[in-house]
Amino acid sequence: MDLFYVFLFVGLVLFTVLIQIRSGTEELIPASALTDVDELKRFRVFRSNYLMVFCLMMAGDWLQGPYIYALYEHYGYTVGDIGHFFIMGFGSSLVFGTVVGALADIIGRRNASLAYVATYCLSCVTKHSSRYWVLMLGRMLGGVSTSLLFSVFESWLVAEHNRRGFSEALLADTFSKSVFLGAGLVAILSGLAGNVLVEDLKLGPVAPFDAAIVVMLTGGALVLNTWSENYGDPNSHRSLISQLALGLEAIRTDQRIALLGAMQSMFEASMYTFVFLWTPALSPNGEKIPHGLVFSCFMTACMAGSAATSILVRRHPPQNYMGLMYCASALTLGVPLFFHMERREPGFGGSSLVDNGAGGISISGKLQLLAFCGFEACIGIFWPSMMALRARYVPEELRSTIINIFRVPLNLFVCVVLYKVSHFPLSVMFGVCVGMLLACMLCQSHLDSLTLDEKQALPVTQGNVGEPLKRSGPPGGRASVIRAATHHGERAS
């Protein structure tokens, strides 16, 4: 194996450890934001419980990821059939995700978390059958589960965190650690565990899905026994249609929410597109790639980004650095544009740039790999920062509803990419990603100008580092007007 991969992985691990040590030695929150030492102790117990549940749920998802394609191949399905399975997953999230998000705000986030466990376990059970429509049903259930995973747990956390009276700075710290652990460390450990089950113990390609069931049921038991229920608005009795209508109205009337939705959709669309592009970008001429080690490099870089965010949010609100993060993301995904201006066939290219060692890639491939690790670090910054921004601006009673509405354009875009990705050269696809990331930067700039205008228009009455400023004007902007009107109408009826 080319030592380049080993040196890169070791370097990323050391860098991540150093950042994590630095994060742990700094004060958790500014002293001015903490008046009760017992509050910090209660918060740590609360955070540990949430992180344990979230990591178990993410482990259930990560255990499946590396083996879905392999399982379909094992059952003898063609590349076209497998593409249809994946389109069903994203299409299901597109169609049903918005509905289940709205239901979560109505029936309760704890109940919705348990629904995630039920639907994803059923999806895993279907993997024991090789029948086309059974597997297609499993992908549909998986799409619904994904929508729940990336909305209801965050919504429950924000509501419970606020109900217990913890500071917003602590919430941002929880988001950072959830990404560091759930999207980084757990991903690596799950990949290793799946490899042991399939390769070492020879349990077959379905074994990781059975392990995922056990892990998610364990998380479900914790939710059932330790979580209290919270709702979008426990005093309202809205129908599903009314909940969706209010979510759309909040997006339409509050520019801040609309801008957050645009940034979330475009960044995640770039991220999912990158998943389909990085392999052909690194080996356009069929060079051998150690995918497991490259995946570990990506996840470690993501962990480094989330660890750095834990430091950033203690010094600056996310809006202060998100624009720079989008710019850095665009630059990293812009690197392949220099190497893939033309469609190249396998075996074509300059032999002087090809490393013929086992697991070798060209020099251009190595440069791109470094850039891709930079993009993964930006992903590690994006997730906790975007969660913190959503916690600040998205109305509590509509949180799950709006988060899943944000995912509609994302899932639609990914379905189109899955269907048409082979029709375009890599330069076009990476160019689209760069364009969306630059658009995110413009959206963030507009959001900054809106919030700056609010700060100048309303007198500041109180504020701490990492906490929202309290002003004498209405607390929720236009979204609060929607809430007030809705509650008035419900009382009148």
Side-chain angles (χ1 to χ4, degrees), residues 423-477:
H423 294 214
F424 299 100
L426 288 174
S427 58
V428 172
M429 299 306 299
F430 276 111
V432 170
C433 292
V434 170
M436 288 191 292
L437 293 169
L438 291 175
C440 287
M441 188 171 63
L442 294 176
C443 289
Q444 184 63 55
S445 177
H446 188 38
L447 178 62
D448 293 343
S449 65
L450 288 175
T451 53
L452 180 62
D453 291 341
E454 292 173 0
K455 292 178 183 178
Q456 294 174 344
L458 297 174
V460 177
T461 58
Q462 181 181 351
N464 289 317
V465 177
E467 293 186 330
L469 297 174
K470 298 178 176 62
R471 302 174 182 83
S472 59

Side-chain angles (χ1 to χ4, degrees), residues 18-343:
L18 289 175
I19 295 178
Q20 186 63 18
I21 292 174
R22 174 68 180 273
S23 173
T25 57
E26 288 194 2
E27 188 180 9
L28 184 60
I29 55 174
S32 58
L34 182 63
T35 57
D36 185 2
V37 176
D38 291 336
E39 176 190 359
L40 187 56
K41 294 179 180 178
R42 289 187 291 107
F43 166 74
R44 282 175 170 156
V45 173
F46 168 73
R47 183 182 64 185
S48 297
N49 173 265
Y50 173 78
L51 291 176
M52 176 63 71
V53 170
F54 185 74
C55 286
L56 287 170
M57 301 308 184
M58 288 297 294
D61 186 53
W62 283 117
L63 278 166
Q64 303 174 54
Y67 296 96
I68 293 177
Y69 194 99
L71 180 68
Y72 295 147
E73 279 191 326
H74 175 73
Y75 285 146
Y77 288 101
T78 65
V79 174
D81 292 330
I82 295 173
H84 295 157
F85 287 134
F86 280 95
I87 290 174
M88 169 58 83
F90 286 103
S92 171
S93 185
L94 168 67
V95 175
F96 300 109
T98 308
V99 175
V100 298
L103 283 174
D105 286 330
I106 296 173
I107 68 173
R109 282 74 177 265
R110 175 176 175 270
N111 288 333
S113 300
L114 295 173
Y116 161 80
V117 174
T119 55
Y120 226 173
C121 285
L122 287 174
S123 176
C124 292
V125 169
T126 64
K127 302 302 187 290
H128 284 272
S129 172
S130 61
R131 295 183 179 180
Y132 181 85
W133 289 109
V134 174
L135 293 173
M136 194 64 81
L137 173 63
R139 288 304 298 168
M140 185 187 73
L141 291 172
V144 172
S145 304
T146 301
S147 294
L148 290 170
L149 175 62
F150 292 108
S151 60
V152 297
F153 294 97
E154 175 186 336
S155 299
W156 181 89
L157 171 65
V158 174
E160 192 66 17
H161 182 99
N162 292 333
R163 186 186 70 81
R164 299 189 183 205
F166 299 133
S167 96
E168 187 179 355
L170 292 172
L171 180 61
D173 188 78
T174 302
F175 285 143
S176 176
K177 284 181 169 53
S178 68
V179 174
F180 180 86
L181 296 173
L185 183 61
V186 167
I188 296 173
L189 294 178
S190 298
L192 294 174
N195 189 72
V196 169
L197 292 172
V198 176
E199 302 296 338
D200 298 336
L201 299 180
K202 308 296 183 182
L203 296 179
V206 185
F209 298 90
D210 293 335
I213 293 175
V214 175
V215 170
M216 289 186 290
L217 286 176
T218 303
L222 277 175
V223 170
L224 191 63
N225 290 286
T226 62
W227 284 20
S228 59
E229 186 60 277
N230 64 55
Y231 303 84
D233 185 358
N235 297 320
S236 69
H237 302 282
R238 299 179 191 136
S239 66
L240 178 61
I241 299 300
S242 297
Q243 186 74 11
L244 288 171
L246 284 172
L248 291 171
E249 182 68 9
I251 295 172
R252 186 184 70 82
T253 57
D254 193 328
Q255 290 188 56
R256 300 170 304 176
I257 299 176
L259 288 168
L260 286 177
M263 289 185 285
Q264 175 184 320
S265 296
M266 290 188 290
F267 189 92
E268 291 189 36
S270 299
M271 181 181 70
Y272 281 111
T273 304
F274 166 73
V275 171
F276 305 124
L277 299 180
W278 71 263
T279 295
L282 295 181
S283 60
N285 300 320
E287 297 92 338
K288 184 179 179 182
I289 297 176
H291 286 82
L293 189 53
V294 171
F295 175 77
S296 297
C297 289
F298 286 165
M299 293 300 99
T300 306
C302 182
M303 292 172 64
S306 62
T309 307
S310 185
I311 299 174
L312 282 172
V313 295
R314 298 172 195 174
R315 301 177 179 180
H316 308 283
Q319 287 176 225
N320 285 11
Y321 59 79
M322 286 292 278
L324 292 174
M325 186 277 297
Y326 291 130
C327 181
S329 300
L331 290 174
T332 57
L333 289 193
V335 170
L337 295 178
F338 294 99
F339 304 105
H340 300 285
M341 297 305 294
E342 297 179 358
R343 187 190 298 272

Side-chain angles (χ1 to χ4, degrees), residues 14 41 47-48 60 83 87 95 136 138 169 245 348 355 361-363 372 384 402 427:
L14 292 176
K41 294 179 180 178
R47 183 182 64 185
S48 297
I87 290 174
V95 175
M136 194 64 81
F348 176 81
D355 182 348
I361 57 176
S362 65
I363 295 174
F372 293 163
I402 289 176
S427 58

